Amino acid sequence: MRRIAGIILAVLLIGGVVVAVVAGRSNGDNGTATKTVQAVIGSEKAEFFADPDVVKALAAKGYTVKAETSGSWAMEGLDLKGYDFALPSSQAPARELAAKYKVTGTLPRPFYSPLVVVAHKNAAEVLADNGLATLDEAHRGTLRMAAYLDAARAGRTWQQLKGARKHGELTGTVYLSSTDPETSNSGALYLAAASYVENGGKVVAGAAEIDRTTPLLHKLISVQGAQQSGSDAVFRDFVSGAGNPLVVVYESQVASLAAQGQRPDDLVVLYPDTTVNSDHTVVPLTEDGKAVAALLSSDPALRELEVRHGFRPQGEATGFASDTTYLKQELTGVHQAAVPTSKVLHELARRARG
């Protein structure tokens, strides 16, 4: 009898386990399941979407984002059928995509980042000694855009600058490295800022202004030779010590580096006194894409993570760059230039590339 009772008890226990597993599958999984959302994003946001904390925060709201990277301007040439949203690095390519895919309404802009110039310390000090920059801290300062553009127009070399000869690595023409303006947002925005200064502090709008600013823009790009199509690779090259000592990047890339505990002693961040903001703009292609865009704009956990990755959430300056070794918490003394229309900026980039 004991043996029979034991067998019956074992059967009941196994049955109970099976019922519990089935119940768990029918009840528990629904609470943790996520919708997979396909996205194409600018390369500078790849680390943000790959961050396990970002993945967790999105999953808590019911979404898993599968992101592929592309140059922001190159997105226009992609077939985005099957994608839920695109996230280029500024409004101009976003508006082009919205028109192409008949997306109406206001496009969400969850966060932004100004363009900055990263410089090796020796290069920054030489620029400051020659009136092309000012340094207010050991690792932070201001690039005087008008003075720099005058030097670029004249084709000045490092050897012509006072104090440069004692630094053997500073040779050749003084120039800022940027990404390809025809495919990458940061390169295009660099031209937007330069053209604004060259055009007397006015946004380039017509054929005559395009003609007037093109010669300088062509010089800024042609001196660089081959250009990368994404800002992530350009910044990584700089940090590794490769390439030019002056590089145009996003502020967010420096902030993200510092947040990871990397604080290179040879790094100086120069804020151009006339720059442009990179307004990371979502183009929702489906309802799920629209929902994720809303989360990026409003969810407190995601906004906090945006700051961790160096982005400035819209409408919020406090909390950004609590460590101001390299970065400004407030963008005081930095003039934000208007960006030309997409059509004009495309033409400026085409002519600059020659």
Side-chain angles (χ1 to χ4, degrees):
M1 290 296 293
R2 288 182 178 177
R3 186 176 181 184
I4 293 172
I7 292 172
I8 293 172
L9 180 59
V11 170
L12 290 173
L13 286 172
I14 292 170
V17 170
V18 171
V19 170
V21 171
V22 172
R25 285 176 180 170
S26 62
N27 296 326
D29 283 2
N30 285 342
T32 58
T34 61
K35 292 182 179 180
T36 298
V37 176
Q38 300 289 343
V40 59
I41 63 174
S43 63
E44 68 289 331
K45 294 178 284 288
E47 288 187 0
F48 172 77
F49 282 101
D51 184 335
D53 289 335
V54 173
V55 173
K56 183 178 178 180
L58 287 166
K61 298 298 183 179
Y63 296 97
T64 296
V65 174
K66 298 294 185 183
E68 301 172 18
T69 62
S70 167
S72 293
W73 288 97
M75 290 181 191
E76 291 180 32
L78 300 178
D79 180 3
L80 297 185
K81 183 179 180 180
Y83 287 84
D84 294 285
F85 71 87
L87 184 46
S89 300
S90 70
Q91 293 183 68
R95 290 193 187 109
E96 292 292 309
L97 288 171
K100 180 178 179 179
Y101 291 96
K102 297 179 173 56
V103 176
T104 58
T106 302
L107 299 178
R109 293 180 293 137
F111 45 81
Y112 68 99
S113 184
L115 283 186
V116 298
V117 174
V118 288
H120 293 307
K121 184 174 286 188
N122 289 340
E125 290 173 350
V126 170
L127 292 181
D129 289 343
N130 287 269
L132 302 180
T134 58
L135 298 178
D136 43 65
E137 298 288 345
H139 296 282
R140 191 183 72 231
T142 302
L143 179 71
R144 299 177 60 196
M145 275 292 282
Y148 163 69
L149 293 178
D150 285 342
R153 187 183 296 103
R156 293 181 73 181
T157 65
W158 285 106
Q159 292 88 338
Q160 293 173 326
L161 298 183
K162 178 180 62 177
R165 292 186 179 275
K166 61 183 179 182
H167 305 295
E169 71 277 14
L170 299 179
T171 60
T173 305
V174 178
Y175 68 91
L176 306 183
S177 289
S178 68
T179 53
D180 183 347
E182 290 194 287
T183 61
S184 173
N185 183 66
S186 58
L189 292 185
Y190 171 43
L191 294 187
S195 66
Y196 183 90
V197 176
E198 180 70 355
N199 197 40
K202 298 184 298 180
V203 63
V204 173
E209 293 173 334
I210 292 173
D211 290 341
R212 183 162 61 250
T213 57
T214 289
L216 176 60
L217 300 187
H218 178 65
K219 182 166 284 191
L220 297 178
I221 299 303
S222 61
V223 72
Q224 298 184 46
Q227 292 177 292
Q228 304 252 26
S229 61
S231 59
D232 188 53
V234 172
F235 185 61
R236 289 181 186 277
D237 283 349
F238 175 86
V239 172
S240 70
N244 194 47
L246 303 171
V247 181
V248 178
V249 300
Y250 296 115
E251 178 194 54
S252 60
Q253 293 171 286
V254 182
S256 179
L257 186 75
Q260 296 167 21
Q262 300 183 53
R263 291 174 169 77
D265 187 58
D266 191 38
L267 172 64
V268 177
V269 179
L270 299 175
Y271 285 80
D273 55 14
T274 299
T275 189
V276 291
N277 279 342
S278 176
D279 287 311
H280 297 271
T281 306
V282 185
V283 184
L285 303 170
T286 66
E287 288 302 313
D288 286 338
K290 186 179 295 185
V292 171
L295 290 173
L296 292 172
S297 299
S298 62
D299 183 73
L302 287 168
R303 285 171 67 86
E304 184 177 325
L305 289 165
E306 288 159 11
V307 172
R308 182 198 296 181
H309 282 268
F311 301 110
R312 293 176 180 259
Q314 292 288 353
E316 182 177 327
T318 59
F320 180 81
S322 56
D323 180 355
T324 55
T325 301
Y326 301 99
L327 304 176
K328 292 175 177 281
Q329 187 173 66
E330 302 284 347
L331 295 174
T332 53
V334 177
H335 178 68
Q336 298 295 326
V339 178
T341 64
S342 178
K343 181 179 179 181
V344 169
L345 198 50
H346 269 302
E347 182 62 14
L348 290 173
R350 186 188 69 79
R351 294 199 190 186
R353 289 281 292 164

